[in-house]
Amino acid sequence: MEPPHLYPVMLYVYDLSKGLARRLSPIMLGKQLEGIWHTSIVVHRDEFFFGSGGISSCPPGGTLLGPPDSVVDVGSTEVSKDIFLEYLSSLGESLFRGEAYNLLEHNCNTFSNEVAQFLTGREIPSYITDLPSEVLSTPFGQVLRPLLDSFQIQPPGGNNVGRPTNQN
């Protein structure tokens, strides 16, 4: 029997604040934050991410965010591209519809964590998934919450996944 083919799974990590969080968080929040993280999963030669427009894909590093600030090796998967795209399509119709996006509670990092577990059985680093609760645990974070709840983030440069385009 032939051994299963393994595909590498990478987590691309972007600091949306471009270093400002590291410099300003001690003053504004009274605690050090290293960044405001946007993440995506790179597998099968594409980058997949979730934002207010739903699930999108692009060539790795192909959004306007440019190259990632860091890359985390999540492991490898036996899941083929076809099965993975089917899985993404079902996620895009249920848990990860664009209107389900919430900056603090259901965001790109929630998506990356879910997909990483599906592909490899591993979670993404907790410093990324714990960031919203860290911010909200501060008095300034509580003041900012109504504003943050209204934010919608969709990095430009991706194509929607799982939704056929209607061409009449």
Side-chain angles (χ1 to χ4, degrees), residues 15 17 19-26 29-37 127 130-132 134-135 138:
D15 176 9
S17 78
L20 281 177
R22 188 179 302 113
R23 292 207 311 271
L24 298 178
S25 61
L29 300 176
K31 63 168 47 180
Q32 182 69 53
L33 299 180
E34 292 305 311
I36 304 297
W37 308 120
Y127 75 88
D130 293 347
L131 182 65
E134 261 192 77
V135 170
T138 68

Side-chain angles (χ1 to χ4, degrees), residues 38-41 47-58 63 87-102 106-112 115 151-163:
H38 165 75
T39 60
S40 59
I41 294 289
E47 180 175 354
F48 299 91
F49 56 93
F50 173 65
S52 58
I55 300 171
S56 298
S57 72
C58 64
T63 69
Y87 166 74
L88 284 184
S89 182
S90 74
L91 282 184
E93 293 167 8
S94 58
L95 288 175
F96 292 96
R97 295 180 327 279
E99 57 271 18
Y101 181 87
N102 177 285
H106 195 71
N107 55 37
C108 58
N109 303 323
T110 316
F111 171 78
S112 292
V115 172
F151 273 32
Q152 302 286 310
I153 294 177
Q154 178 65 27
N159 301 309
N160 274 5
V161 172
R163 282 196 205 142

Side-chain angles (χ1 to χ4, degrees), residues 4-168:
H5 190 76
L6 293 178
Y7 306 97
V9 179
M10 300 298 193
L11 178 74
Y12 275 27
V13 182
Y14 302 87
D15 176 9
L16 294 177
S17 78
K18 298 289 185 203
L20 281 177
R22 188 179 302 113
R23 292 207 311 271
L24 298 178
S25 61
I27 300 158
M28 296 175 76
L29 300 176
K31 63 168 47 180
Q32 182 69 53
L33 299 180
E34 292 305 311
I36 304 297
W37 308 120
H38 165 75
T39 60
S40 59
I41 294 289
V42 175
V43 65
H44 299 297
R45 296 193 183 111
D46 274 315
E47 180 175 354
F48 299 91
F49 56 93
F50 173 65
S52 58
I55 300 171
S56 298
S57 72
C58 64
T63 69
L64 289 184
L65 298 174
D69 293 290
S70 64
V71 176
V72 177
D73 184 347
V74 184
S76 52
T77 187
E78 296 176 17
V79 177
S80 71
K81 186 171 187 170
D82 288 345
I83 291 171
F84 180 63
L85 291 175
E86 229 172 88
Y87 166 74
L88 284 184
S89 182
S90 74
L91 282 184
E93 293 167 8
S94 58
L95 288 175
F96 292 96
R97 295 180 327 279
E99 57 271 18
Y101 181 87
N102 177 285
L103 180 66
L104 297 171
E105 291 161 3
H106 195 71
N107 55 37
C108 58
N109 303 323
T110 316
F111 171 78
S112 292
N113 198 40
E114 178 89 18
V115 172
Q117 288 180 67
F118 172 78
L119 291 171
T120 69
R122 293 188 189 159
E123 295 188 348
I124 68 172
S126 60
Y127 75 88
I128 295 169
T129 54
D130 293 347
L131 182 65
S133 59
E134 261 192 77
V135 170
L136 293 175
S137 72
T138 68
F140 191 61
Q142 283 299 308
V143 169
L144 282 179
R145 180 161 197 155
L147 175 67
L148 295 174
D149 276 339
S150 70
F151 273 32
Q152 302 286 310
I153 294 177
Q154 178 65 27
N159 301 309
N160 274 5
V161 172
R163 282 196 205 142
T165 52
N166 295 333
Q167 294 187 314
N168 298 348

